[in-house]
Amino acid sequence: MADYATTTSQVARHWEGNAETWTKLTRAGHDVYRDRHNTPSFLICLPAISGLSGLDIGCGEGSNTRKLAELGGKIEAIDVAPTFIRHAMEFEAKKPLGISYTVADATALPFEGGQFDFATAFMCMMDIANHDIALAEAFRVVRSGGFFQFSILHPCFAPPHRRPLRDENGNDYAVELADYFVELDGNIEEWTFGSAVRNGADIADLFKVPRFHRTLSGWINLLINTGFVIEYLGEPTATIEEAKRYPEIADTL
C-alpha cells in the first residue's frame, strides 16, 4: 500500500477502511481526547444554535452531530465513508434527533449556497485532501452572517514529528517537536487509541489516517483568502485535575 493519499478518492478509501473499527472503539469510550478534551472545548466555544440549521462536515459515526442536535440545532451531516454514515443512521433510527445523514465529500458539498445558518467540523479538516476547497465549500453553503466553527490538531504542537517526553514515573513533562515547516500532503500515519491498547480491546487493524499538515499561518491565510472573518481562536488545554484524572490528555498541558 502506498504511504500517502493525495486525492479525495484515496482519502475516502482510507477512512472507509478505518470506519468499522473506529466506530466500535469510540463507542466503547476509547477516544479519550475527543470525549474528555476536544469536544467539550469545542462546545464551550459554540454560539447558541437552538433553532438554527446547521451542517456537520466529517461527522463520522455521529457522536458530535448528536450533541449539536441535542443543543437544538436542525442538523444535516456528511461524511466521505459510507460505513460511518450507516452507523450514524442506525443510531438515528433507534434514538431519533431529526438528523439527516448523507455520504458526501467535503470538497463537493451537495447543498445550495447559503443553505445553512452555520457549519461545523470536529477534528477532521487536517485529514481532508484539498482543504482549501473544503473551506471554500463551507463558506459557500453558510448564509451571509452565519458562521463556521472547526477544530484541528494544533499545527504548532502536532507537526510531522511529535513525541511526548515522560519521566521515570510515566508522567508527561514535555513534548519533542520537529519539522513544523514541512508540509504533509496525504502522508499516512498508522495508529490506534492508546486507551484501547491498554485495556485489551479487540483491535482489527491500525487506523491509516492521511495527514495534510500546514503551519498555523498557512491555515489562517487560507481562511482569510476564502473570505472568512476570524472571530475567535481557541487553544484549549486540560486542567491539572483533568490531566490527573485522564493521563491520556496530560500532554495538552
Side-chain angles (χ1 to χ4, degrees):
M1 180 183 297
D3 60 356
Y4 56 89
T6 58
T7 68
T8 297
S9 61
Q10 290 171 335
V11 171
R13 284 197 297 272
H14 280 291
W15 277 108
E16 176 62 13
N18 295 332
E20 193 65 48
T21 299
W22 189 288
T23 300
K24 179 181 68 176
L25 295 181
T26 57
R27 290 186 176 179
H30 293 302
D31 192 349
V32 180
Y33 272 99
R34 182 194 72 180
D35 296 339
R36 304 299 180 183
H37 184 57
N38 294 335
T39 297
S41 299
F42 189 103
L43 296 178
I44 287 172
C45 300
L46 189 70
I49 61 170
S50 181
L52 300 183
S53 62
L55 174 65
D56 189 26
I57 299 169
C59 65
E61 53 80 37
S63 174
N64 291 321
T65 315
R66 292 188 285 275
K67 290 179 172 58
L68 296 174
E70 289 165 355
L71 290 171
K74 303 173 183 177
I75 309 299
E76 297 198 38
I78 67 105
D79 199 277
V80 76
T83 294
F84 273 145
I85 294 298
R86 174 174 58 81
H87 281 296
M89 292 176 67
E90 289 172 352
F91 199 104
E92 173 69 15
K94 294 177 182 177
K95 298 182 179 181
L97 290 168
I99 303 169
S100 176
Y101 292 100
T102 304
V103 177
D105 172 15
T107 64
L109 295 174
F111 304 106
E112 298 295 326
Q115 182 171 334
F116 300 98
D117 295 316
F118 71 95
T120 56
F122 292 77
M123 296 300 291
C124 70
M125 294 299 291
M126 68 283 178
D127 299 331
I128 296 175
N130 303 313
H131 43 250
D132 54 336
I133 300 176
L135 289 173
E137 279 291 272
F139 185 85
R140 180 183 67 81
V141 301
V142 172
R143 65 169 175 80
S144 177
F147 70 89
F148 174 45
Q149 179 169 317
F150 71 100
S151 55
I152 57 173
L153 293 173
H154 197 308
C156 301
F157 302 116
H161 174 82
R162 181 184 193 280
R163 183 169 66 96
L165 303 180
R166 299 182 172 92
D167 61 24
E168 62 276 8
N169 297 317
N171 299 314
D172 293 270
Y173 68 89
V175 179
E176 179 182 274
L177 307 170
D179 297 331
Y180 172 66
F181 291 102
V182 176
E183 292 193 350
L184 298 184
D185 283 302
N187 299 54
I188 304 300
E189 295 185 350
E190 296 191 26
W191 53 274
T192 191
F193 300 121
S195 170
V197 174
R198 286 189 295 275
N199 290 282
D202 180 18
I203 300 170
D205 295 292
L206 293 177
F207 303 131
K208 295 178 175 61
V209 178
R211 279 283 308 281
F212 297 86
H213 171 70
R214 298 292 182 269
T215 62
L216 182 59
S217 61
W219 278 102
I220 290 175
N221 288 330
L222 279 175
L223 291 168
I224 293 170
N225 293 337
T226 300
F228 284 109
V229 174
I230 300 172
E231 295 181 333
Y232 182 79
L233 181 64
E235 298 177 293
T237 179
T239 65
I240 297 294
E241 293 74 21
E242 289 169 338
K244 289 179 179 177
R245 191 178 306 121
Y246 306 108
E248 291 91 342
I249 65 173
D251 60 352
T252 68
L253 293 172

